[in-house]
Amino acid sequence: MVGLRPLLWPGVAALIASPGLAVLALVALLDAAPPGETERLLDRYALHVLGFTVLQATLSTILSLVFAVPLARALARRPVFPGRGIVIRLFGIPLVLPAIVAVFGVVAVWGQNGAVNAALGKAGVAGLGPIYGLEGILIAHTFFNIPLAVRLLLPAWESIPGETWRLAAQLGMTSWPIFRLIEWPRLAEVLPGIAMLVFLLTFSSFTVVLALGGGPGAATLEVAIYQALRLDFDIVRAVFLALLQVVICATVAIVLFRFARFSWSEAGAGRITMRPDSLGRPGRIGDALVIAAGIFWVGAPLAGVALSGLNGPLAEVLARQDVWLAALRSVLVGLGAGVVAVMVGLLLGATSCDLAMRRHRRRLADVLEIAGSQTLIVSPVVLGAGLFVLLLGHVRVFDWALPLAALVNGLVSVPYVLRLVSPVLRRTAAHHDRLCASLGLAGIRRIVWLEGPLVLRPLATALALATALAAGDLTAIALFGTEREATLALLLYRALGSYRMDEAAVIALLLVVVCLAIFVAIEGLGRVVARA
Amino acid sequence: MSSPGLELDGIVFRQGGWTLAADLVVRRGELLALIGASGAGKSTLLSLAAGFERPLSGRILVNGRAVTDLPPASRPITTLFQEHNLFAHLSALDNVALGLDPGLRLTAADRRTAQEALSRVELETMAHRRPGKLSGGERQRVAIARALVMKRPVLLLDEPFAALGPALRRAMLDLVSRLARESGLTVVMVSHDPADARRIADTVAFMDDGRILLTGPTDSVLDSPVLPELVRYLDPDSDPGPP
Amino acid sequence: MSRTVTFLSAALLTILSARADTLDVYTYESFVSEWGPGPQIEEAFEARCDCTVRWTAVDDAAILLSRLRLEGGGGDADVVLGLDTNLMAETLDLGLVRQHGLEDLEFDLPVSWSDPVFVPFDYGYFAVIYDDEALPQPPASLADLVTGGSGADLIIQDPRTSTPGLGLMLWMKAVYGDSAADAWRSLSSRVLTVTAGWSEAYGLFLEGEAPMVLSYTTSPAYHQLVEGETRYRAAMFEEGHYMQIEVAAMVEGTDQEDLARDFLRFIATPGFQGAIPTGNWMYPVIDLGDDLPDVFRELPAPAVSLLLPPKDVGAMRRQWIDEWLEAAIGE
Ligand SMILES: Nc1ncnc2c1ncn2[C@@H]1O[C@H](COP(=O)(O)OP(=O)(O)OP(=O)(O)O)[C@@H](O)[C@H]1O
Ligand SMILES: [Mg+2]
C-alpha cells in the first residue's frame, strides 16, 4: 500500500527514544556495577530498605483497598445525591496533584502543628504524634490511592446490570447477601489488579517518602537510590539498588499485565438503579458517614493547601524573583516533557496502529505499546540514575538539569498519550482506510485532512496532562537539579525541609495554580483549534 | 366472581416528562400478552406492578389484596427479564434456591425442592453448571424454575425469549404456558411478536404512548383490528389514513 | 555597520567581564541564610574585591563533597566552604581541590594548623542541645545518652549528608571503638528522626518536636544573645566532645584562581571572622579580642576534646557509614 512503509520508522525511532533509553540506562547501570561487591551491597541496610519498601507498599495497598471498597460501595449505592458529581471529581484531583503539594497538604492537616492537632488542642485532647516516618507515608499514600482505587472500583459496580438489582429486590436480599452474592464476585475480578497497581505505585514512591520518611530507616529503594547517588556519591550502591528495584517492579508488572482485569472508564456517571438495600435509614446514615469520611480524607489536605496558601505571606513570597524564575522553569520542564511525551507517544501509536490494522501483527503492536509503558518498571528514578551514570564524566549533568528532567518526565507520560491517541488512530484506520485508498488520499495530505483533526483533541488533552504532571514533578529535578536552577517543586521541598511552613504554603498553592493553568490553557487551546 | 389475579387501578406514573396512565385487569389464572410499539411503556408497566417503580397515584392489587405500598420482595409477584436473570457465579441449583432463601442458607428440603423445580424445566442433569456454561434457552429455564419455587401467584415476563431462535422460542412459550396452567399462575407477558400472543395468550392488551388502548380476547384483537394505532402496529406498511 | 559590531563586542565584553568577576562559593544552607554569616561576609568581601560573590547552598556540608564529585571538576565552584577535617583527606585524594599557595596565614586554634590546601574558618564542639523546660535531667555522658533512652526524644543528622551527623558518628567511634555499632543500635531507639541537614534538625527541635538535638556547644549562645532565652543548653558529656574544624579550599576547576586565593586569605581576617560568632555561632579561628561576645567566653568548655586523625577518617569513612547505616536503621 502507498505511504505505509514509512510509518514503520517512527515506531523504531520512538522505540529508541523511550524503552531504548531505559535499556541504555540499565546497561549503564550494569556497566557501572563492579563485580564482587554484592556482599557489601546486599547488606542489612539494603535488606532493610527492601523490607521497608515492601512493608509500606503492602500496608498502603491494604489500607487503600480496605477503605476504598466501602467508599466505592457507598457511592455505588447512592447513584443520585446532590454533589455526587463534585465528589467524584474531587476524587480525580489527587491523580494529577503534584506529590510534593500533597505532602504539604498532609503536613498542614496531620502534622505536629497541623489543623487536626490544633483542633484536638482546643478540645483539650492529647495531640497526634509526629507524622514523619511510616505514619506520614501511609497517610499520604492513602490520600493518593483511596480515590484512585475508588475510581477503578466504581465501574465494577456500574457493570452490574439493572435486572440484577430488580431480581435482588424481588428475592428480598438484604445488605449482606447482596455483598456476598452480587458485589463480591465482581470485586474479586478487579481487586487483584487494582491491588497490584497500587502496590507498584507505592513500591516506587519517591517524593512522599523523601519528604515524609525521616531518616535512613524509612527509605524506599527509590529514595535510597537517590540518596546514594546525589548525597553520598555511592554510585555502586545506587546502581545495585536500582537493579533491585527494576527486577521487583518487572516481576510485579508482568503479573499485573498477565492477570489484571480492570478497565479505566469514565467512572461515576451514576447509572440510576434502584437497589433494595439502599432505602433503609441505617444504610443511608452509614453511607453518608462513609462518603463524608472519604471527602474529609481527600478534601482536607486539598483544603489545607488552599487555606494555608491564602493565609500565608502571599505578597512577600510572590514578590520574590527566584519564585517566579522557579515557576518559569517548572513551566519549561512541563512543556518540554509534554512535547517529548506527545512525540514519542504519537510515533509509537502510529506504528503500533500500522502494525495492528494493516499488517495484522497485533501481538507485535501490543508489545510496542507495552514497551511505551515501561516506566512502570523502569521508574523515573532508575531512568534518571541510569542517565546520570551514563552522562557522568562526559557532560556537565547539572547544566542539563532542565532538559533531562523534561526528558524523563516526558517518557513517564508516554502511556497517557498512547491511551488517549491510540484508539482514535485505530478507529480511523478501521473506518477510513478503504475510502482513503479509493480517493488516493495518503501521506501528509491524509494526516492533514483525516488523522490530524481527529487526533487533535485527545492529543491536546494528553499534552495538557503530561505538561501539568511534569511541571509539578520533584523526582527528576531532585536527581538532576541544583539549588540555582530550582523549579517550584524543588523550592517547595526545600521550604518544607527547612520547616519554613509559611513560605511552603504559598509555594504549594502557586504550584497548584501553575499546573492547573497549564492544563486548562493547553486543553482549551486544543479545543479551540480543533473546532476551527 | 372471584377477585382478579392482577389489577392496576388508575395508575399514573411520570418519568422525564413522559406519562403513563393505565388500568388493567388480568383474571386469575389468565395469560395476558402485552403488546405495543417500542417505548410504549410495557416494561414500565411491569416495573410498576412488580414494585421497582412507585406510581404517583392509583392502586395495585393481587388477588384482591392491595400491594401498592409493599417492596418488591413482599409482593406475590415474580419477574423474568430478557437477560441477566441469573447470578453468573452461582450454579443453576443455587440460582433456583435463591428463590427459597435470598441468603442461600439452605436446608436439605430446600435443595430437594430446587432440584425438583429443575426437573420440571427438564434441566435436572445441569444442576451444577454455572450460567456461563448454559445456552440462552437453558438459562431462561433455570429462571423459570426459580419463579416456580417462589410460589408467587403472579408471573411477569418482559420479553424473556426475544433473543432466542423461532423454534426454541415456541418451545419455551409452550413450557411457560404449561407450567403456568399447572400451577394456576396469573401471567403477563410482554411480546413484540403477535404470533407469540396467538400461541399461548388468552387475552391481549395493546399499549400506546403510556396508555392501554385496548384489551380483549387474543383472536378478536389480532384478527380484525379496527383501532388505527393497532393497525399501524401490526402492519406498519398499511396506512389507513387519519382516523 | 562597524559601529554595530563595536557596540555588540563591547556589550559582549561587559557581559564576559561581569562573569569574570564572579566568585562562586559552594557552601551549606545555614551559612548563607539571612541570619547566617553569609550576607555580612559577602558584603565585606565584595567591598574590597570589586567582584560579585555568588553562593550555592546545599542542605548540609557533607553533601558538598558528593556535589564536587558529581560535577567532576565541571561545575562553577571556585571555593568550597564548609567541609571539615573529617572530609579533608578524601577531598584531597580525589583531586577536587588545589593548593592555595598562601604562606603567611596565622590561626588561633586549639590545635596547630598548617595545611597547603585547606583554610580553617571556624571551629566548635558537637553537643546535644536540650530544652531545659522539656527535659529537666539531661544525659550527663554519651553513655547516658546511648543507654538511657525511653522514647523518641533526639533529632540527629545523617552522616552521609551532614557534618554534625558525621561528627556524631566519629564521636561514637572515638568513644566506643569497635563496639560503636552496638552503641548505635541502642541509641537509635531514641532517635525521633534523622534529617539530611542541620537546619532541618534544629528547626524541628525549636518547633518542639523533640527535646534534644545534635548541634554544637556554642548553639545556646544564639538563644542567650539574640532571644535572651536560657532554656536551651548544651549537655556536657564526661567522655568529652568531638571537635569540628570547618575548612574552605580552592576548587581544582576554578577559573578565578586569584579571586579565590584572595577570598581564602580574607577568611583569616577580622572582616570574615567577625561575622562567625554571631552568624555561624561557632568559635572564630583568630583572636577577635573584645569583638568576641562575652557569652562565648562563658560557654562551658568540654572536659576532653576528641578528634580522629583526618587520614584515618578518610580511609574508613565509607566503611563506618555502612556500619552506621546497618545499625541506625535499628530493627
Ligand atoms: N430510566 C428512564 N428514565 C427516563 N425515561 C425512561 C427511562 N426508562 C425508560 N424511559 C422512557 O419511558 C418510556 C417507556 O419505556 P419502556 O421501557 O417502558 O418502553 P417499552 O414499551 O418497554 O419499550 P421496548 O419495547 O423497547 O422495551 C420510553 O419513552 C422511554 O424512553
Ligand atoms: Mg421494554
Side-chain angles (χ1 to χ4, degrees):
Chain A
M1 276 198 218
V2 204
L4 292 184
R5 185 148 298 279
L7 272 183
L8 209 54
W9 290 109
V12 174
L15 210 57
I16 292 168
S18 172
L21 208 58
V23 170
L24 206 62
L26 285 180
V27 170
L29 289 173
L30 276 172
D31 198 40
E37 281 229 54
T38 37
E39 275 143 272
R40 171 171 103 75
L41 294 169
L42 201 62
D43 54 9
R44 266 193 61 209
Y45 171 68
L47 290 176
H48 174 87
V49 168
L50 179 59
F52 182 81
T53 311
V54 171
L55 173 77
Q56 63 82 19
T58 308
L59 287 177
S60 299
T61 307
I62 292 174
L63 286 175
S64 298
L65 293 185
V66 160
F67 289 106
V69 168
L71 185 51
R73 185 177 198 234
L75 281 170
R77 271 159 46 125
R78 308 286 152 200
V80 269
F81 65 84
R84 188 178 189 276
I86 296 173
V87 174
I88 300 287
R89 222 163 293 151
L90 174 75
F91 284 3
I93 295 178
L95 305 179
V96 290
L97 192 72
I100 188 68
V101 173
V103 166
F104 173 82
V106 164
V107 172
V109 174
W110 300 103
Q112 196 87 328
N113 297 303
V116 169
N117 264 339
L120 288 178
K122 240 178 232 157
V125 187
L128 307 170
I131 62 162
Y132 293 91
L134 188 58
E135 294 89 342
I137 292 173
L138 292 181
I139 292 177
H141 279 170
T142 48
F143 166 79
F144 280 111
N145 290 301
I146 288 177
L148 171 73
V150 166
R151 299 204 29 150
L152 288 172
L153 281 169
L154 274 178
W157 264 281
E158 280 160 9
S159 70
I160 299 174
E163 287 92 336
T164 301
W165 296 120
R166 299 186 156 190
L167 199 58
Q170 201 152 61
L171 293 168
M173 283 185 169
T174 50
S175 191
W176 174 240
I178 284 181
F179 183 74
R180 194 162 51 98
L181 297 174
I182 300 178
E183 298 173 305
W184 177 250
R186 297 265 167 172
L187 287 182
E189 283 176 17
V190 295
L191 268 182
I194 297 176
M196 267 185 287
L197 184 68
V198 173
F199 183 86
L200 208 56
L201 291 174
T202 51
F203 188 89
S204 308
S205 174
F206 175 78
T207 302
V208 164
V209 179
L210 181 71
L212 290 173
T220 52
L221 283 170
E222 295 272 286
V223 170
I225 294 166
Y226 160 82
Q227 287 175 340
L229 188 64
R230 268 309 294 267
L231 307 184
D232 207 14
F233 199 72
D234 194 342
I235 302 239
V236 179
R237 190 187 284 283
V239 166
F240 177 76
L241 295 174
L243 295 177
L244 203 58
Q245 166 86 13
V246 169
V247 169
I248 294 173
C249 283
T251 314
V252 179
I254 287 169
V255 178
L256 179 73
F257 279 126
R258 266 197 77 85
F259 298 109
R261 281 196 289 164
F262 59 86
S263 59
W264 180 262
S265 68
E266 262 318 297
R271 271 213 349 222
I272 298 166
T273 41
M274 194 208 64
R275 291 181 49 149
D277 59 338
S278 65
L279 297 169
R281 176 180 278 264
R284 200 169 294 178
I285 292 172
D287 287 349
L289 286 178
V290 170
I291 293 173
I295 292 174
F296 174 73
W297 194 254
V298 176
L302 295 175
V305 171
L307 293 179
S308 315
L310 292 175
N311 290 328
L314 267 175
E316 197 180 305
V317 175
L318 294 186
R320 272 168 49 184
Q321 195 193 357
D322 65 322
V323 170
W324 288 106
L325 282 175
L328 180 66
R329 285 189 205 102
S330 295
V331 174
L332 288 178
V333 169
L335 286 174
V339 170
V340 169
V342 162
M343 288 203 343
V344 175
L346 203 54
L347 296 179
L348 273 178
T351 302
S352 129
C353 165
D354 184 40
L355 284 172
M357 309 303 293
R358 307 190 182 106
R359 287 159 203 272
H360 308 290
R361 304 289 296 276
R362 201 164 264 282
R363 268 206 105 97
L364 196 62
D366 287 347
V367 168
L368 205 63
E369 294 213 350
I370 290 177
S373 314
Q374 38 78 23
T375 38
L376 267 185
I377 299 168
V378 183
S379 66
V381 170
V382 174
L383 190 64
L387 287 176
F388 213 117
V389 173
L390 196 67
L391 296 176
L392 207 63
H394 301 294
V395 292
R396 293 168 54 166
V397 178
F398 294 128
D399 287 356
W400 294 88
L402 298 187
L404 283 171
L407 177 66
V408 169
N409 273 302
L411 295 183
V412 170
S413 288
V414 167
Y416 299 111
V417 182
L418 274 177
R419 190 162 313 145
L420 284 163
V421 170
S422 192
V424 182
L425 288 177
R426 291 197 183 190
R427 217 177 314 132
T428 332
H431 292 174
H432 301 299
D433 264 8
R434 284 157 194 272
L435 183 64
C436 286
S438 73
L439 291 174
L441 195 60
I444 294 289
R445 282 202 304 152
R446 173 176 162 148
I447 291 175
V448 169
W449 292 114
L450 186 62
E451 268 95 357
L454 287 172
V455 155
L456 206 61
R457 273 293 296 282
L459 210 56
T461 307
L463 182 68
L465 192 63
T467 305
L469 285 176
D473 166 76
L474 180 67
T475 311
I477 201 69
L479 214 51
F480 298 118
T482 62
E483 302 67 27
R484 198 163 297 154
E485 296 230 303
T487 60
L488 275 183
L490 202 56
L491 273 194
L492 175 53
Y493 170 60
R494 292 171 65 84
L496 269 173
S498 48
Y499 229 73
R500 299 191 300 268
M501 292 303 276
D502 288 355
E503 182 188 329
V506 178
I507 299 177
L509 186 60
L510 181 62
L511 181 51
V512 172
V513 170
V514 166
C515 291
L516 199 71
I518 289 177
F519 186 87
V520 171
I522 297 180
E523 235 251 331
L525 205 65
R527 208 174 314 149
V528 170
V529 174
R531 209 180 294 139
Chain B
M1 200 187 108
S2 65
S3 49
L6 174 69
E7 186 176 358
L8 306 184
D9 177 17
I11 291 293
V12 176
F13 175 74
R14 210 164 275 137
Q15 114 185 130
W18 177 86
T19 309
L20 178 146
D23 292 276
L24 181 71
V25 177
V26 190
R27 284 194 306 275
R28 223 177 263 200
E30 182 181 54
L31 210 157
L32 177 137
L34 189 60
I35 61 172
S38 183
K42 307 180 293 293
S43 300
T44 309
L45 193 73
L46 294 202
S47 291
L48 285 161
F52 305 136
E53 308 281 5
R54 293 291 166 113
L56 291 173
S57 63
R59 294 191 314 150
I60 299 159
L61 300 106
V62 174
N63 293 342
R65 197 164 65 90
V67 298
T68 324
D69 296 323
L70 297 180
S74 310
R75 298 190 185 196
I77 297 174
T78 55
T79 311
L80 217 57
F81 306 103
Q82 183 171 341
E83 52 188 338
H84 304 301
N85 283 299
L86 304 182
F87 296 100
H89 57 281
L90 295 182
S91 68
L93 187 77
D94 282 347
N95 265 294
V96 174
L98 271 179
L100 297 165
D101 183 303
L104 271 189
R105 288 167 302 254
L106 303 178
T107 62
D110 287 340
R111 284 178 200 289
R112 236 172 299 125
T113 313
Q115 186 67 48
E116 276 160 23
L118 278 175
S119 309
R120 288 181 72 189
V121 296
E122 292 154 29
L123 282 179
E124 58 273 28
T125 56
M126 308 205 175
H128 298 289
R129 287 209 200 166
R130 294 197 174 187
K133 296 203 165 153
L134 295 172
S135 73
E138 287 161 352
R139 280 201 289 268
Q140 297 302 60
R141 269 145 71 193
V142 175
I144 294 171
R146 184 178 55 222
L148 291 176
V149 301
M150 289 175 77
K151 291 213 177 353
R152 296 186 177 176
V154 177
L155 175 62
L156 307 177
L157 309 172
D158 194 354
E159 305 183 59
F161 314 127
L164 307 179
L168 183 55
R169 192 160 86 205
R170 281 194 291 274
M172 294 297 294
L173 288 170
D174 292 347
L175 177 71
V176 166
S177 147
R178 178 167 59 78
L179 292 173
R181 293 189 202 288
E182 276 173 22
S183 311
L185 300 179
T186 306
V187 180
V188 177
M189 170 182 84
V190 171
S191 174
H192 268 293
D193 189 350
D196 290 358
R198 264 190 239 280
R199 192 169 184 90
I200 60 168
D202 308 310
T203 316
V204 167
F206 173 65
M207 262 196 105
D208 185 65
D209 195 21
R211 250 148 273 265
I212 294 177
L213 296 186
L214 180 73
T215 315
T218 307
D219 294 339
S220 66
V221 170
L222 295 180
D223 290 345
S224 43
V226 270
L227 200 69
E229 288 89 347
L230 181 58
V231 173
R232 249 198 315 272
Y233 170 71
L234 291 175
D235 185 4
D237 292 337
S238 78
D239 189 357
Chain C
M1 180 69 191
S2 69
R3 278 183 53 166
T4 326
V5 173
T6 326
F7 175 76
L8 278 179
S9 44
L12 203 65
L13 265 177
T14 325
I15 294 167
L16 283 179
S17 56
R19 270 181 69 93
D21 275 330
T22 300
L23 180 73
D24 276 292
V25 183
Y26 281 21
T27 186
Y28 51 86
E29 198 176 78
S30 62
F31 195 86
V32 289
S33 75
E34 53 183 301
W35 321 275
Q40 189 183 334
I41 288 167
E42 178 183 334
E43 199 181 322
F45 187 65
E46 283 177 353
R48 49 182 276 173
C49 75
D50 192 27
C51 67
T52 313
V53 175
R54 190 162 67 162
W55 305 103
T56 296
V58 299
D59 279 355
D60 206 337
I63 304 178
L64 286 171
L65 176 56
S66 318
R67 182 55 170 277
L68 291 179
R69 293 183 71 180
L70 282 168
E71 291 186 351
D76 297 320
D78 300 307
V79 169
V80 54
L81 181 137
L83 298 170
D84 67 7
T85 46
N86 303 314
L87 296 169
M88 277 168 42
E90 262 176 280
T91 314
L92 200 58
D93 287 348
L94 291 164
L96 297 169
V97 287
R98 60 160 85 164
Q99 300 201 350
H100 51 59
L102 298 166
E103 311 230 307
D104 47 350
L105 297 177
E106 301 239 346
F107 303 104
D108 176 28
L109 278 170
V111 293
S112 73
W113 190 278
S114 68
D115 190 286
V117 175
F118 296 99
V119 176
F121 66 88
D122 66 16
Y123 74 98
Y125 303 91
F126 296 116
V128 166
I129 302 298
Y130 66 97
D131 178 352
D132 194 23
E133 290 175 12
L135 192 76
Q137 282 183 314
S141 65
L142 191 61
D144 266 4
L145 183 76
V146 165
T147 55
S150 64
D153 55 3
L154 173 67
I155 301 173
I156 62 170
Q157 300 86 5
D158 191 326
R160 294 173 297 173
T161 51
S162 151
T163 49
L166 181 60
L168 177 61
M169 189 185 93
L170 298 173
W171 192 357
M172 297 277 280
K173 205 78 205 170
V175 171
Y176 286 97
D178 288 344
S179 49
D182 291 332
W184 268 112
R185 259 185 280 278
S186 167
L187 180 63
S188 55
S189 72
R190 74 188 306 175
V191 173
L192 172 71
T193 182
V194 182
T195 66
W198 175 88
S199 309
E200 191 185 347
Y202 212 75
L204 287 171
F205 167 71
L206 291 181
E207 292 282 343
E209 301 257 346
M212 289 191 287
V213 65
L214 176 64
S215 187
Y216 298 88
T217 56
T218 41
S219 301
Y222 165 79
H223 300 287
Q224 286 173 30
L225 219 54
V226 177
E227 301 170 338
E229 177 68 80
T230 54
R231 63 193 276 202
Y232 303 111
R233 300 187 187 165
M236 299 309 288
F237 289 170
E238 288 163 7
E239 300 92 337
H241 289 246
Y242 199 86
M243 182 180 179
Q244 180 183 38
I245 303 173
E246 293 194 280
V247 299
M250 192 190 301
V251 175
E252 179 57 42
T254 178
D255 52 4
Q256 290 289 347
E257 192 177 339
D258 293 338
L259 210 48
R261 188 174 296 113
D262 283 348
F263 187 78
L264 291 179
R265 194 197 318 270
F266 174 64
I267 286 177
T269 65
F272 185 111
Q273 291 297 312
I276 289 297
T278 56
N280 219 27
W281 304 95
M282 296 281 275
Y283 293 109
V285 294
I286 62 170
D287 188 356
L288 286 178
D290 288 345
D291 286 344
L292 184 70
D294 289 339
V295 183
F296 276 82
R297 298 207 177 80
E298 292 153 13
L299 287 171
V304 187
S305 82
L306 306 163
L307 190 64
L308 294 173
K311 281 243 165 330
D312 294 3
V313 178
M316 299 300 292
R317 189 180 70 106
R318 174 114 302 161
Q319 191 185 323
W320 288 345
I321 281 189
D322 283 352
E323 186 185 288
W324 171 84
L325 269 177
E326 288 206 358
I329 50 184
E331 224 85 277

